[in-house]
């Protein structure tokens, strides 16, 4: 037996369910149908990575999912969970108009919800029964299993993906995730959730040990398997009264994909900033900055700024006023300098607080010049963007 996460063969048996059902989520057409017998279900824990699983060699999953359908959307708890999660995923990662793929969409409830919000969702669904239900909701479905060769059948690339309560059922979740990666653009955002082994342990839920379920994930092992397959974990959460553990992730293409891009963009940042400053100088515009925190100190140092290029740096902290930034030697002044010695363009250095700073500049201080932000690249905000921010949207 091999660990489905790390490939180790070093296990300990941690639980033994005697006389469990052969199938827990596939009902029988008659008492004599195949799969009606009882079986013993041992659970094993990998000593190398802590993954909990059954012995996949004992599984008989051939054609298991061809007519599979498990729906929970008739329950209030689950529907509220799905609705809230869809809104959060859509709004937090700006999925309007984005191409999204869901692996194992079931009856299509979540995919249809994202479509209602404004995403463009398609799905991979091996079950003909589930696929028919999803298509009734207007979800386009491909009749495939997700794995290493999925890209041979589906060549489209997607901006985001979803997998809900599916990865715990597959024999090879690494292949599942590699297959998903082949369908994604670099930087694609993903949402994955699975039943929580932690919930099972805490609530003594012996009935959660199912022969249908291959893997029993915790936040730790879910994070490990995502990172192993080149997904950078952004956030871990527990939902629906902790029934599910989930992650929001970003596909980075390789083990150090995001770090590699970070280094490349750093090399380009200086040139972009220098070009922007040169265009302002050519237009005869004076430039100031708002915020004498560490971000501004660092950027103005490595981009070669000096008092000839930036007149001053405004900061509301009286302790900083009258001092100078290390590296660039720019002088820190109080906010009233903006009225006493106005500038035509203002660089807002605080990436975290730039929206509230812009609202203060416009609504309280009457500033109407150019506003420059530094992330993800240095640029002048358009008037439409500023109006959106000061409207508090």
């Amino acid at each position: 037996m091999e660990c489905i996460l790390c490939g180790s063969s070093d296990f300990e048996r941690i639980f033994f369910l005697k006389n469990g059902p052969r199938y827990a989520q596939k009902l029988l057409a008659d008492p004599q149908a195949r799969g009606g017998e009882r079986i013993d279900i041992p659970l094993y824990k990998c000593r190398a990575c802590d993954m909990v699983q059954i012995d996949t060699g004992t599984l008989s999953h051939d054609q298991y999912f061809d007519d599979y359908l498990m729906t929970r959307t008739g329950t209030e708890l689950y529907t509220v969970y799905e609705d809230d999660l869809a809104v959060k995923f859509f709004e937090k990662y700006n999925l309007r108009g984005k191409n999204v793929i869901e692996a194992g969409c079931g009856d299509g409830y979540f995919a249809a919800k994202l479509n209602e919000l404004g995403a463009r969702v398609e799905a991979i669904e091996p079950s003909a029964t589930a696929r028919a239900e999803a298509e009734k909701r207007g979800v386009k479905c491909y009749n495939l299993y997700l794995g290493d060769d999925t890209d041979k059948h589906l060549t489209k690339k997607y901006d985001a993906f979803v997998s809900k309560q599916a990865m715990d059922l597959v024999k090879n979740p690494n292949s599942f995730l590699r297959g998903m990666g082949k369908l994604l653009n670099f930087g694609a955002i993903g949402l994955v959730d699975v039943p929580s082994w932690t919930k099972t342990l805490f609530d003594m839920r012996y009935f959660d040990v199912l022969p249908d379920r291959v893997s029993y994930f915790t936040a730790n092992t879910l994070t490990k398997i995502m990172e192993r397959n080149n997904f950078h974990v952004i956030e871990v959460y527990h939902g629906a009264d902790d029934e599910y553990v989930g992650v929001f992730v970003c596909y980075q293409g390789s083990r150090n994909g995001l770090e590699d891009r970070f280094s490349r963009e750093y090399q380009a940042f200086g040139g972009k900033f220098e070009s922007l400053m040169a265009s302002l100088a050519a237009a005869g515009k004076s430039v100031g900055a708002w915020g004498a925190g560490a971000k501004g100190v660092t950027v103005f140092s490595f981009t070669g700024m000096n008092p000839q290029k930036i007149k001053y740096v405004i900061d509301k902290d009286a302790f900083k006023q009258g001092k100078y930034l290390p590296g660039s030697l720019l002088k820190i002044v109080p906010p009233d300098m903006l009225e006493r010695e106005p500038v035509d363009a203002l660089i807002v250095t605080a990436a975290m607080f730039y929206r509230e700073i812009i609202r203060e500049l416009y609504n309280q201080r009457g500033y109407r010049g150019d506003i420059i932000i530094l992330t993800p690249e240095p640029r002048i905000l358009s008037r439409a963007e500023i109006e959106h921010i000061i409207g508090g949207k």
Side-chain angles (χ1 to χ4, degrees):
M1 180 172 63
E2 274 193 0
C3 174
I4 58 173
L5 195 165
C6 73
S8 171
S9 57
D10 186 10
F11 287 93
E12 58 181 316
R13 195 174 83 174
I14 60 168
F15 182 70
F16 186 78
L17 180 71
K18 190 170 181 60
N19 290 327
R22 184 67 188 84
Y23 296 122
Q25 299 184 99
K26 183 175 183 179
L27 303 182
L28 307 178
D30 65 73
Q32 304 305 317
R34 179 186 174 192
E37 70 274 16
R38 292 183 174 91
I39 63 169
D40 298 335
I41 309 167
L43 288 186
Y44 302 90
K45 186 172 186 177
C46 175
R47 289 189 174 95
C49 72
D50 295 327
M51 185 71 232
V52 174
Q53 66 179 82
I54 65 172
D55 182 353
T56 57
T58 66
L59 277 179
S60 178
H61 268 187
D62 296 341
Q63 301 178 326
Y64 178 81
F65 295 107
D66 291 354
D67 63 352
Y68 178 91
L69 178 64
M70 174 58 68
T71 178
R72 302 173 180 84
T73 49
T75 64
E76 181 181 356
L77 172 66
Y78 191 78
T79 301
V80 170
Y81 168 65
E82 293 278 274
D83 290 350
D84 290 348
L85 190 60
V87 170
K88 178 179 179 179
F89 188 44
F90 179 85
E91 293 183 347
K92 185 170 184 175
Y93 298 105
N94 190 25
L95 298 183
R96 183 171 301 281
K98 300 292 180 62
N99 292 320
V100 183
I101 186 73
E102 180 170 7
C105 68
D107 64 3
Y109 184 88
F110 195 80
K113 186 68 179 180
L114 288 177
N115 278 333
E116 288 175 18
L117 291 168
R120 297 187 295 197
V121 187
E122 298 175 344
I124 295 170
E125 177 50 65
S127 166
T129 303
R131 190 169 72 255
E133 293 300 311
E135 288 179 342
K136 289 178 186 177
R137 299 181 188 270
V139 180
K140 181 178 180 179
C141 291
Y142 300 95
N143 185 211
L144 298 169
Y145 282 89
L146 183 61
D148 285 307
D149 64 348
T150 305
D151 60 322
K152 295 178 181 177
H153 308 284
L154 184 57
T155 58
K156 187 174 180 178
K157 294 286 188 178
Y158 296 87
D159 308 307
F161 77 96
V162 175
S163 172
K164 296 186 59 54
Q165 296 115 59
M167 201 166 69
D168 58 304
L169 303 174
V170 300
K171 285 185 178 181
N172 192 337
N174 285 307
S175 174
F176 181 91
L177 290 172
R178 287 194 302 266
M180 179 59 78
K182 292 179 180 180
L183 303 179
L184 302 176
N185 292 314
F186 180 91
I189 296 298
L191 164 61
V192 177
D193 72 359
V194 287
S196 170
W197 176 237
T198 301
K199 175 75 169 179
T200 298
L201 292 175
F202 273 37
D203 289 1
M204 305 293 184
R205 291 166 55 153
Y206 314 112
F207 47 81
D208 280 350
V209 178
L210 311 175
D212 318 59
R213 185 173 296 159
V214 179
S215 45
Y216 295 76
F217 285 100
T218 63
N220 175 41
T221 51
L222 183 57
T223 297
K224 284 179 178 178
I225 200 165
M226 299 308 299
E227 292 180 342
R228 181 182 180 87
N229 289 282
N230 303 323
F231 292 92
H232 180 85
V233 176
I234 302 169
E235 178 185 345
V236 178
Y237 72 91
H238 292 81
D241 287 349
D242 297 333
E243 287 285 338
Y244 305 109
V245 57
V247 288
F248 292 103
V249 299
C250 174
Y251 181 62
Q252 57 179 348
S254 62
R255 182 173 179 272
N256 297 318
L258 290 175
E259 287 87 350
D260 292 343
R261 184 183 67 172
F262 188 74
S263 294
R264 288 195 306 272
E265 290 302 316
Y266 164 71
Q267 301 300 325
F269 183 94
K272 291 176 182 178
F273 189 76
E274 182 179 345
S275 177
L276 175 59
M277 294 297 290
S279 68
L280 291 169
K285 292 186 175 183
S286 56
V287 181
W290 186 289
K295 296 175 179 64
V297 171
T298 304
V299 168
F300 294 148
S301 181
F302 75 70
T303 56
M305 292 300 102
N306 57 49
Q308 287 70 50
K309 297 178 180 179
I310 296 177
K311 287 185 66 175
Y312 51 68
V313 177
I314 295 169
D315 201 285
K316 295 166 75 173
D317 186 344
F319 178 76
K320 296 180 181 179
Q321 293 163 11
K323 297 183 173 65
Y324 297 83
L325 301 190
S328 63
L329 303 181
L330 299 174
K331 187 172 183 178
I332 305 167
V333 299
D336 65 3
M337 181 64 79
L338 197 58
E339 288 78 41
R340 291 188 282 115
E341 295 185 24
V343 290
D344 303 305
L346 200 60
I347 303 167
V348 177
T349 65
M352 184 175 177
F353 308 112
Y354 80 93
R355 291 181 182 86
E356 63 184 76
I357 291 170
I358 290 170
R359 284 193 285 269
E360 177 180 339
L361 286 170
Y362 264 64
N363 296 334
Q364 299 176 32
R365 301 189 181 278
Y367 179 77
R368 293 297 180 270
D370 291 332
I371 292 180
I372 298 164
I373 60 172
L374 299 175
T375 185
E377 62 180 19
R379 66 184 182 90
I380 299 172
L381 289 178
S382 69
R383 289 296 158 185
E385 289 175 306
I386 292 173
E387 290 296 329
H388 186 77
I389 291 168
I390 63 176
K393 299 178 182 178

